C-alpha cells in the first residue's frame, strides 16, 4: 500500500500541536500503509505469539485496520471514529465500544494500541512527560504517556536527502498485571517513490 495524499489539519483524534522541527516527514492526517505485526502476549499465564499482516487506512475522521493471516485470510477488521470503535471477526457478531484499545484486547486477546499507532506509524508519540516526541535515526526511543516503550529500529531506504520514514518499530508495555504485558514488532512495507505526497 502507499502513503497517500496529505492533509495537515488537526484531527479529532489528536490533542498535540505539530512539532516545529521535523525529524521525520510532516505528520499526515490521511495515509495508507501496510506491513506485518508480530505480537507476544500472555494468555492463561503462558506466553503466546501471533504474526499478522495488516493494512492501515487513516483519514482525519476515521481509521480502518485490517488484520490478515500470513496466507491472506481476514482475521479482523477495526473501524474507529471519534465516537466509537467497531471490531468484526469472521463468524462473530460485530462488537463496539468507545475505547478501541480495550476493545481490541477483549476481542483479540492482546492489546492492539490503535490510538497510539495513529502517531507511531509516522514517527510521532506523546512522551510520558506529555511532550510531543518526534523520532529520527538519532533520537529513536521514547516511553509514551500511556506506558509503551517505543524504539524505532530501522528506517525506509530512500534518497540521501529524503526525510526519514519508519520501517521497523518495536513497542513493549509492562503493567503491574503481568497479564497485560504485550510486545509488538511492526514492520512497514516500503513506501515507493511514486506514492510520496
Amino acid at each position: 500500500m502507499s502513503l497517500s495524499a496529505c492533509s495537515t489539519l488537526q484531527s479529532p483524534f489528536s490533542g498535540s500541536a505539530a512539532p516545529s522541527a521535523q525529524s521525520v516527514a510532516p505528520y499526515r492526517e490521511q495515509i495508507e500503509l501496510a506491513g506485518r505485526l508480530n505480537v507476544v502476549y500472555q494468555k492463561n499465564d503462558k506466553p503466546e505469539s501471533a504474526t499478522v499482516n495488516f493494512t492501515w487506512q487513516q483519514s482525519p475522521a476515521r481509521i480502518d485496520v485490517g488484520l490478515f493471516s500470513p496466507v491472506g485470510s481476514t482475521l479482523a477488521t477495526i473501524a474507529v471514529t471519534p465516537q466509537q470503535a467497531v471490531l468484526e471477526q469472521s463468524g462473530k457478531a460485530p462488537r463496539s465500544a468507545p475505547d478501541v484499545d480495550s476493545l481490541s484486547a477483549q476481542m483479540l486477546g492482546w492489546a492492539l494500541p490503535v490510538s497510539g499507532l495513529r502517531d507511531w506509524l509516522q514517527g510521532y508519540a506523546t512522551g510520558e512527560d506529555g511532550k510531543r516526541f518526534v523520532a529520527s535515526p538519532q533520537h529513536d526511543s521514547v516511553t509514551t504517556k500511556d506506558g509503551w516503550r517505543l524504539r524505532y529500529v530501522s528506517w525506509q531506504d530512500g534518497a540521501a536527502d529524503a526525510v526519514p520514514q519508519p520501517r521497523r518499530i518495536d513497542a513493549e508495555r509492562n503493567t503491574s498485571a503481568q497479564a497485560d504485558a504485550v510486545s509488538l514488532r511492526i514492520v512497514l512495507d516500503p513506501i515507493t517513490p511514486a506514492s510520496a505526497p
Side-chain angles (χ1 to χ4, degrees), residues 16 116 119-120 123-127 131-135 142-145 150 152:
S16 302
D119 284 344
W120 304 352
Y124 294 86
T126 301
K131 294 181 180 175
R132 189 73 156 155
F133 168 82
V134 183
V142 66
T143 299
T144 69
K145 193 171 184 177
L150 304 181
Y152 288 83

Side-chain angles (χ1 to χ4, degrees), residues 10 12 29-30 39-40 45 52 55-56 65 70 73 75 89 114 127 133-134 140 145 168 171 173 176 186:
Q10 191 68 12
E29 292 292 347
Q30 186 163 327
V39 58
V40 178
D45 296 324
V52 298
T55 58
W56 179 279
V65 183
S73 305
L75 301 173
Q89 291 176 291
V114 174
F133 168 82
V134 183
D140 63 4
K145 193 171 184 177
R168 178 177 150 194
R173 185 185 68 184
S176 57
I186 302 159

Side-chain angles (χ1 to χ4, degrees), residues 147-160:
W148 287 89
R149 287 188 304 280
L150 304 181
R151 190 162 79 88
Y152 288 83
V153 177
S154 63
W155 299 84
Q156 304 276 359
D157 291 331

Side-chain angles (χ1 to χ4, degrees), residues 44-133:
N44 300 324
D45 296 324
K46 294 180 181 176
E48 297 280 341
S49 67
T51 300
V52 298
N53 296 326
F54 73 90
T55 58
W56 179 279
Q57 295 180 313
Q58 172 181 316
S59 68
R62 184 179 171 105
I63 298 171
D64 287 288
V65 183
L67 301 176
F68 307 92
S69 73
V71 295
S73 305
T74 301
L75 301 173
T77 60
I78 304 168
V80 184
T81 66
Q83 294 77 34
Q84 72 170 354
V86 177
L87 189 149
E88 295 184 52
Q89 291 176 291
S90 180
K92 297 183 181 178
R95 295 283 300 269
S96 64
D99 175 17
V100 64
D101 295 354
S102 297
L103 179 63
S104 70
Q106 179 185 26
M107 297 293 290
L108 300 173
W110 46 274
L112 178 65
V114 174
S115 56
L117 285 167
R118 184 175 181 88
D119 284 344
W120 304 352
L121 294 175
Q122 297 190 60
Y124 294 86
T126 301
E128 59 189 341
D129 58 2
K131 294 181 180 175
R132 189 73 156 155
F133 168 82

